[in-house]
Structure formats: structure tokens, C-alpha cells
Amino acid sequence: MNDLQKKISDIGVVPVIKLNHPQRDAKALADALCAGGIPIAEVTFRAAGAADAIRIMRETHPEMMVGAGTVMNTQQVDEAIEAGAMFIVTPGLDPVIVEYCIAKNITVFPGCTTPTDYHTAYRYGLEVLKFFPAEQSGGLAKIKAMSAPFPMFKVMPTGGIGLKNLAEYAAAPVIAACGGSYMVTADLIDNGKWDEITELCRKSVEIVKEARAK
Ligand code: 3PG
């Protein structure tokens, strides 16, 4: 793992964010996440202003590890890098995007769920993969089964992870970090429930620590 991956893995939780109003919400959201002990954001390109949100978070919180999610093409990789993104996350494994990120020297977490995906990721020398959509693809049982032939990978599962199952995932050594939108839902963001977001982050960090200590 590189330094960034280690730092993300030490914290163990990656908020997956969709921000419709970056000018209004990006700084407040970054404040709330950092206050809750999760200075990490995967800002998805599912909302038009993703690059603005990344830029604002990086400018207002230089200590934060801000990346771009739901990246669908190399143009978005460029936009993300230009905005200050420190990593790229893709829903699936697109060799064109992976090769582009390697050439640009930016960490990429491609979504992988099958042995074929893992083979391709292995060929690229990747070490940490997104596992998406986690629960719907077989959850922790599948992640563990995949580890038998592919012990070289750590994974970052997202999709269906919340406070209810975070401990179970976090306890497994194969898990680098768990991603999710449960602490940054549209309801929480649109209604400015920043304290609630901070509280959910605190709880998440605590759950991860406890699960790993067992
Ligand atoms: C992602 O893109 O990683 C997922 O949509 C996050 O999944 P969740 O909303 O179920 O947490």
C-alpha cells in the first residue's frame, strides 16, 4: 500500500458523497467529517459540481484526503486531478481509466467483484481494490473467498454498508476501509444536519477501532 492508502486504511471509513450544491455545502460537510474523525471524502461525479466540491474541500481542509468517485472516463480523471483529487474511484474496472491513472501517477481504486476483475487488477500491480456493490455481490463471504487465490489484495467494499454491518466488515484483515453513503445521505446534507454527520462519523470510527482490536 502507498502512504495515502495506508492513511485511508488507518481510519478505515470512506464517506461516498454526492453533493448537489458544492458552493453551499462542501466546506460545511468537510468540517463535519473532519470533526467526526474521518478526514476522507470520495466525492462522486454523480453530481455535476463534483470538481468544485473537491476543490473547495482541498482548499478549506488541506489535511483531508479527498478523491473522486464514480469516475467514468479519462476526462473526469483530468477534471478531478485539476481540482486537487488525491485518488480516483471507479464503479467497475475500466482498463483505459486504470492505465490512464497509472500514467498520471494517481492512486486508483477500480470496482472489482469477480476473479476476472481481480486478475486484471493483478496485471496492473494494484494493491487495494474497491469491491462494489459489496452486499449485493455476496458481501464479506465473497470477499473472503476471493482472498484465497488473491491474498495480495486489500479491498474497500461499498454498497449496502452501514452502522449495522460495519463491525463485521472492519474486523476482517482483508478490508482496507469500508465505504458508504450512510453518514452523508441527501437528507443529512440537504437539511444541514452537520452535527448528526459528525456523530455518525464518530460512531463509525469507534466501531472500526473496536472491531479491529478484537
Ligand atoms: C458507491 O458508489 O460506492 C455506493 O453507491 C455507495 O453505496 P451505499 O450508498 O450503499 O453506501
Side-chain angles (χ1 to χ4, degrees), residues 10-11 13 163 166-172 202-214:
D10 282 349
I11 294 165
V13 181
L163 292 180
L166 180 60
E168 189 196 337
Y169 276 93
R202 273 209 195 103
K203 252 186 222 154
S204 303
V205 169
E206 209 177 281
I207 289 172
V208 170
K209 271 201 191 126
E210 268 175 31
R212 286 175 172 174
K214 274 184 193 159

PDB file of all heavy atoms in Angstrom, residues 10-11 13 163 166-172 202-214:
ATOM      1  N   ASP A  10      -5.912   3.291   7.836  1.00  0.00           N
ATOM      2  CA  ASP A  10      -5.818   3.515   9.291  1.00  0.00           C
ATOM      3  C   ASP A  10      -7.146   4.032   9.834  1.00  0.00           C
ATOM      4  O   ASP A  10      -7.586   3.642  10.913  1.00  0.00           O
ATOM      5  CB  ASP A  10      -4.718   4.540   9.609  1.00  0.00           C
ATOM      6  CG  ASP A  10      -3.336   3.907   9.539  1.00  0.00           C
ATOM      7  OD1 ASP A  10      -3.265   2.667   9.454  1.00  0.00           O
ATOM      8  OD2 ASP A  10      -2.334   4.653   9.552  1.00  0.00           O
ATOM      9  N   ILE A  11      -7.778   4.921   9.106  1.00  0.00           N
ATOM     10  CA  ILE A  11      -9.070   5.463   9.554  1.00  0.00           C
ATOM     11  C   ILE A  11     -10.170   4.437   9.287  1.00  0.00           C
ATOM     12  O   ILE A  11     -11.031   4.200  10.131  1.00  0.00           O
ATOM     13  CB  ILE A  11      -9.343   6.818   8.880  1.00  0.00           C
ATOM     14  CG1 ILE A  11      -8.309   7.829   9.390  1.00  0.00           C
ATOM     15  CG2 ILE A  11     -10.757   7.306   9.169  1.00  0.00           C
ATOM     16  CD1 ILE A  11      -8.203   9.096   8.595  1.00  0.00           C
ATOM     17  N   VAL A  13     -12.733   4.211   7.140  1.00  0.00           N
ATOM     18  CA  VAL A  13     -14.080   4.536   6.644  1.00  0.00           C
ATOM     19  C   VAL A  13     -13.970   5.620   5.575  1.00  0.00           C
ATOM     20  O   VAL A  13     -13.267   6.613   5.763  1.00  0.00           O
ATOM     21  CB  VAL A  13     -15.001   5.049   7.782  1.00  0.00           C
ATOM     22  CG1 VAL A  13     -16.403   5.349   7.234  1.00  0.00           C
ATOM     23  CG2 VAL A  13     -15.086   4.050   8.923  1.00  0.00           C
ATOM     24  N   LEU A 163     -24.033   1.300   9.749  1.00  0.00           N
ATOM     25  CA  LEU A 163     -23.624   1.024  11.128  1.00  0.00           C
ATOM     26  C   LEU A 163     -23.941  -0.417  11.528  1.00  0.00           C
ATOM     27  O   LEU A 163     -23.263  -1.008  12.344  1.00  0.00           O
ATOM     28  CB  LEU A 163     -24.317   1.997  12.096  1.00  0.00           C
ATOM     29  CG  LEU A 163     -23.894   3.464  12.004  1.00  0.00           C
ATOM     30  CD1 LEU A 163     -24.659   4.296  13.018  1.00  0.00           C
ATOM     31  CD2 LEU A 163     -22.381   3.637  12.208  1.00  0.00           C
ATOM     32  N   LEU A 166     -21.000  -2.622   9.749  1.00  0.00           N
ATOM     33  CA  LEU A 166     -19.640  -2.073   9.645  1.00  0.00           C
ATOM     34  C   LEU A 166     -18.627  -2.904  10.447  1.00  0.00           C
ATOM     35  O   LEU A 166     -17.529  -3.204   9.959  1.00  0.00           O
ATOM     36  CB  LEU A 166     -19.643  -0.611  10.123  1.00  0.00           C
ATOM     37  CG  LEU A 166     -18.326   0.142  10.100  1.00  0.00           C
ATOM     38  CD1 LEU A 166     -17.753   0.215   8.687  1.00  0.00           C
ATOM     39  CD2 LEU A 166     -18.522   1.568  10.652  1.00  0.00           C
ATOM     40  N   ALA A 167     -19.019  -3.301  11.659  1.00  0.00           N
ATOM     41  CA  ALA A 167     -18.087  -4.028  12.537  1.00  0.00           C
ATOM     42  C   ALA A 167     -17.653  -5.342  11.894  1.00  0.00           C
ATOM     43  O   ALA A 167     -16.465  -5.692  11.898  1.00  0.00           O
ATOM     44  CB  ALA A 167     -18.734  -4.298  13.888  1.00  0.00           C
ATOM     45  N   GLU A 168     -18.630  -6.029  11.323  1.00  0.00           N
ATOM     46  CA  GLU A 168     -18.364  -7.335  10.707  1.00  0.00           C
ATOM     47  C   GLU A 168     -17.330  -7.186   9.577  1.00  0.00           C
ATOM     48  O   GLU A 168     -16.370  -7.962   9.491  1.00  0.00           O
ATOM     49  CB  GLU A 168     -19.703  -7.822  10.154  1.00  0.00           C
ATOM     50  CG  GLU A 168     -19.751  -9.217   9.647  1.00  0.00           C
ATOM     51  CD  GLU A 168     -21.009  -9.425   8.782  1.00  0.00           C
ATOM     52  OE1 GLU A 168     -21.997  -8.659   8.950  1.00  0.00           O
ATOM     53  OE2 GLU A 168     -20.959 -10.315   7.936  1.00  0.00           O
ATOM     54  N   TYR A 169     -17.507  -6.188   8.733  1.00  0.00           N
ATOM     55  CA  TYR A 169     -16.552  -5.955   7.639  1.00  0.00           C
ATOM     56  C   TYR A 169     -15.192  -5.526   8.187  1.00  0.00           C
ATOM     57  O   TYR A 169     -14.148  -6.061   7.797  1.00  0.00           O
ATOM     58  CB  TYR A 169     -17.071  -4.870   6.686  1.00  0.00           C
ATOM     59  CG  TYR A 169     -18.031  -5.358   5.625  1.00  0.00           C
ATOM     60  CD1 TYR A 169     -19.396  -5.334   5.830  1.00  0.00           C
ATOM     61  CD2 TYR A 169     -17.555  -5.831   4.405  1.00  0.00           C
ATOM     62  CE1 TYR A 169     -20.284  -5.768   4.843  1.00  0.00           C
ATOM     63  CE2 TYR A 169     -18.429  -6.268   3.412  1.00  0.00           C
ATOM     64  CZ  TYR A 169     -19.799  -6.236   3.641  1.00  0.00           C
ATOM     65  OH  TYR A 169     -20.657  -6.668   2.656  1.00  0.00           O
ATOM     66  N   ALA A 170     -15.226  -4.533   9.080  1.00  0.00           N
ATOM     67  CA  ALA A 170     -13.972  -3.919   9.549  1.00  0.00           C
ATOM     68  C   ALA A 170     -13.073  -4.923  10.258  1.00  0.00           C
ATOM     69  O   ALA A 170     -11.846  -4.774  10.262  1.00  0.00           O
ATOM     70  CB  ALA A 170     -14.279  -2.739  10.466  1.00  0.00           C
ATOM     71  N   ALA A 171     -13.679  -5.947  10.856  1.00  0.00           N
ATOM     72  CA  ALA A 171     -12.889  -6.924  11.617  1.00  0.00           C
ATOM     73  C   ALA A 171     -12.037  -7.817  10.715  1.00  0.00           C
ATOM     74  O   ALA A 171     -11.066  -8.425  11.160  1.00  0.00           O
ATOM     75  CB  ALA A 171     -13.834  -7.788  12.460  1.00  0.00           C
ATOM     76  N   ALA A 172     -12.388  -7.898   9.445  1.00  0.00           N
ATOM     77  CA  ALA A 172     -11.670  -8.811   8.548  1.00  0.00           C
ATOM     78  C   ALA A 172     -10.370  -8.185   8.057  1.00  0.00           C
ATOM     79  O   ALA A 172     -10.372  -7.055   7.568  1.00  0.00           O
ATOM     80  CB  ALA A 172     -12.561  -9.169   7.367  1.00  0.00           C
ATOM     81  N   ARG A 202     -18.140   9.754  14.093  1.00  0.00           N
ATOM     82  CA  ARG A 202     -17.520   9.334  15.369  1.00  0.00           C
ATOM     83  C   ARG A 202     -17.843   7.883  15.682  1.00  0.00           C
ATOM     84  O   ARG A 202     -16.975   7.094  16.037  1.00  0.00           O
ATOM     85  CB  ARG A 202     -18.051  10.198  16.517  1.00  0.00           C
ATOM     86  CG  ARG A 202     -17.271  11.437  16.682  1.00  0.00           C
ATOM     87  CD  ARG A 202     -17.259  11.937  18.135  1.00  0.00           C
ATOM     88  NE  ARG A 202     -16.780  13.291  18.072  1.00  0.00           N
ATOM     89  CZ  ARG A 202     -17.547  14.376  18.177  1.00  0.00           C
ATOM     90  NH1 ARG A 202     -18.822  14.261  18.454  1.00  0.00           N
ATOM     91  NH2 ARG A 202     -17.026  15.575  18.040  1.00  0.00           N
ATOM     92  N   LYS A 203     -19.134   7.566  15.561  1.00  0.00           N
ATOM     93  CA  LYS A 203     -19.583   6.203  15.836  1.00  0.00           C
ATOM     94  C   LYS A 203     -18.869   5.210  14.924  1.00  0.00           C
ATOM     95  O   LYS A 203     -18.428   4.142  15.346  1.00  0.00           O
ATOM     96  CB  LYS A 203     -21.091   6.100  15.599  1.00  0.00           C
ATOM     97  CG  LYS A 203     -21.880   5.964  16.885  1.00  0.00           C
ATOM     98  CD  LYS A 203     -23.352   5.719  16.588  1.00  0.00           C
ATOM     99  CE  LYS A 203     -24.185   6.563  17.548  1.00  0.00           C
ATOM    100  NZ  LYS A 203     -25.492   6.913  17.053  1.00  0.00           N
ATOM    101  N   SER A 204     -18.747   5.570  13.655  1.00  0.00           N
ATOM    102  CA  SER A 204     -18.126   4.671  12.673  1.00  0.00           C
ATOM    103  C   SER A 204     -16.664   4.401  13.031  1.00  0.00           C
ATOM    104  O   SER A 204     -16.200   3.258  12.994  1.00  0.00           O
ATOM    105  CB  SER A 204     -18.200   5.282  11.267  1.00  0.00           C
ATOM    106  OG  SER A 204     -19.528   5.565  10.926  1.00  0.00           O
ATOM    107  N   VAL A 205     -15.954   5.473  13.362  1.00  0.00           N
ATOM    108  CA  VAL A 205     -14.535   5.338  13.724  1.00  0.00           C
ATOM    109  C   VAL A 205     -14.391   4.427  14.943  1.00  0.00           C
ATOM    110  O   VAL A 205     -13.505   3.571  15.002  1.00  0.00           O
ATOM    111  CB  VAL A 205     -13.919   6.734  13.992  1.00  0.00           C
ATOM    112  CG1 VAL A 205     -12.541   6.616  14.619  1.00  0.00           C
ATOM    113  CG2 VAL A 205     -13.841   7.538  12.696  1.00  0.00           C
ATOM    114  N   GLU A 206     -15.295   4.615  15.889  1.00  0.00           N
ATOM    115  CA  GLU A 206     -15.271   3.813  17.115  1.00  0.00           C
ATOM    116  C   GLU A 206     -15.526   2.333  16.794  1.00  0.00           C
ATOM    117  O   GLU A 206     -14.820   1.443  17.279  1.00  0.00           O
ATOM    118  CB  GLU A 206     -16.390   4.334  18.017  1.00  0.00           C
ATOM    119  CG  GLU A 206     -16.155   4.189  19.492  1.00  0.00           C
ATOM    120  CD  GLU A 206     -17.329   4.816  20.221  1.00  0.00           C
ATOM    121  OE1 GLU A 206     -17.359   6.062  20.335  1.00  0.00           O
ATOM    122  OE2 GLU A 206     -18.246   4.056  20.617  1.00  0.00           O
ATOM    123  N   ILE A 207     -16.520   2.099  15.956  1.00  0.00           N
ATOM    124  CA  ILE A 207     -16.859   0.717  15.582  1.00  0.00           C
ATOM    125  C   ILE A 207     -15.655   0.038  14.909  1.00  0.00           C
ATOM    126  O   ILE A 207     -15.319  -1.107  15.214  1.00  0.00           O
ATOM    127  CB  ILE A 207     -18.087   0.696  14.640  1.00  0.00           C
ATOM    128  CG1 ILE A 207     -19.349   1.064  15.421  1.00  0.00           C
ATOM    129  CG2 ILE A 207     -18.259  -0.665  13.966  1.00  0.00           C
ATOM    130  CD1 ILE A 207     -20.597   1.257  14.558  1.00  0.00           C
ATOM    131  N   VAL A 208     -15.006   0.763  14.007  1.00  0.00           N
ATOM    132  CA  VAL A 208     -13.850   0.191  13.302  1.00  0.00           C
ATOM    133  C   VAL A 208     -12.734  -0.133  14.288  1.00  0.00           C
ATOM    134  O   VAL A 208     -12.152  -1.235  14.253  1.00  0.00           O
ATOM    135  CB  VAL A 208     -13.357   1.150  12.187  1.00  0.00           C
ATOM    136  CG1 VAL A 208     -12.021   0.694  11.615  1.00  0.00           C
ATOM    137  CG2 VAL A 208     -14.393   1.261  11.070  1.00  0.00           C
ATOM    138  N   LYS A 209     -12.458   0.817  15.182  1.00  0.00           N
ATOM    139  CA  LYS A 209     -11.386   0.590  16.171  1.00  0.00           C
ATOM    140  C   LYS A 209     -11.672  -0.639  17.006  1.00  0.00           C
ATOM    141  O   LYS A 209     -10.810  -1.495  17.198  1.00  0.00           O
ATOM    142  CB  LYS A 209     -11.259   1.810  17.090  1.00  0.00           C
ATOM    143  CG  LYS A 209     -10.307   2.842  16.538  1.00  0.00           C
ATOM    144  CD  LYS A 209      -9.805   3.773  17.655  1.00  0.00           C
ATOM    145  CE  LYS A 209      -9.085   4.932  17.010  1.00  0.00           C
ATOM    146  NZ  LYS A 209      -9.580   6.248  17.424  1.00  0.00           N
ATOM    147  N   GLU A 210     -12.892  -0.707  17.510  1.00  0.00           N
ATOM    148  CA  GLU A 210     -13.273  -1.850  18.363  1.00  0.00           C
ATOM    149  C   GLU A 210     -13.195  -3.166  17.600  1.00  0.00           C
ATOM    150  O   GLU A 210     -12.679  -4.159  18.105  1.00  0.00           O
ATOM    151  CB  GLU A 210     -14.697  -1.667  18.881  1.00  0.00           C
ATOM    152  CG  GLU A 210     -14.743  -0.967  20.226  1.00  0.00           C
ATOM    153  CD  GLU A 210     -16.171  -0.686  20.659  1.00  0.00           C
ATOM    154  OE1 GLU A 210     -17.072  -1.472  20.296  1.00  0.00           O
ATOM    155  OE2 GLU A 210     -16.383   0.342  21.336  1.00  0.00           O
ATOM    156  N   ALA A 211     -13.691  -3.146  16.386  1.00  0.00           N
ATOM    157  CA  ALA A 211     -13.716  -4.393  15.588  1.00  0.00           C
ATOM    158  C   ALA A 211     -12.289  -4.868  15.305  1.00  0.00           C
ATOM    159  O   ALA A 211     -12.019  -6.077  15.332  1.00  0.00           O
ATOM    160  CB  ALA A 211     -14.465  -4.147  14.288  1.00  0.00           C
ATOM    161  N   ARG A 212     -11.406  -3.932  15.054  1.00  0.00           N
ATOM    162  CA  ARG A 212     -10.027  -4.321  14.736  1.00  0.00           C
ATOM    163  C   ARG A 212      -9.253  -4.766  15.973  1.00  0.00           C
ATOM    164  O   ARG A 212      -8.277  -5.519  15.855  1.00  0.00           O
ATOM    165  CB  ARG A 212      -9.295  -3.149  14.076  1.00  0.00           C
ATOM    166  CG  ARG A 212      -9.741  -2.932  12.643  1.00  0.00           C
ATOM    167  CD  ARG A 212      -9.085  -1.708  12.074  1.00  0.00           C
ATOM    168  NE  ARG A 212      -9.340  -1.560  10.648  1.00  0.00           N
ATOM    169  CZ  ARG A 212      -8.973  -0.495   9.941  1.00  0.00           C
ATOM    170  NH1 ARG A 212      -8.346   0.498  10.525  1.00  0.00           N
ATOM    171  NH2 ARG A 212      -9.249  -0.433   8.648  1.00  0.00           N
ATOM    172  N   ALA A 213      -9.673  -4.273  17.138  1.00  0.00           N
ATOM    173  CA  ALA A 213      -8.950  -4.592  18.376  1.00  0.00           C
ATOM    174  C   ALA A 213      -9.258  -6.013  18.845  1.00  0.00           C
ATOM    175  O   ALA A 213      -8.525  -6.602  19.638  1.00  0.00           O
ATOM    176  CB  ALA A 213      -9.311  -3.588  19.456  1.00  0.00           C
ATOM    177  N   LYS A 214     -10.368  -6.571  18.391  1.00  0.00           N
ATOM    178  CA  LYS A 214     -10.805  -7.908  18.882  1.00  0.00           C
ATOM    179  C   LYS A 214      -9.878  -9.018  18.400  1.00  0.00           C
ATOM    180  O   LYS A 214      -9.344  -8.961  17.313  1.00  0.00           O
ATOM    181  CB  LYS A 214     -12.231  -8.172  18.397  1.00  0.00           C
ATOM    182  CG  LYS A 214     -13.237  -7.562  19.374  1.00  0.00           C
ATOM    183  CD  LYS A 214     -14.679  -7.903  18.954  1.00  0.00           C
ATOM    184  CE  LYS A 214     -15.648  -7.026  19.760  1.00  0.00           C
ATOM    185  NZ  LYS A 214     -16.924  -6.910  19.119  1.00  0.00           N
TER     186      LYS A 214
END
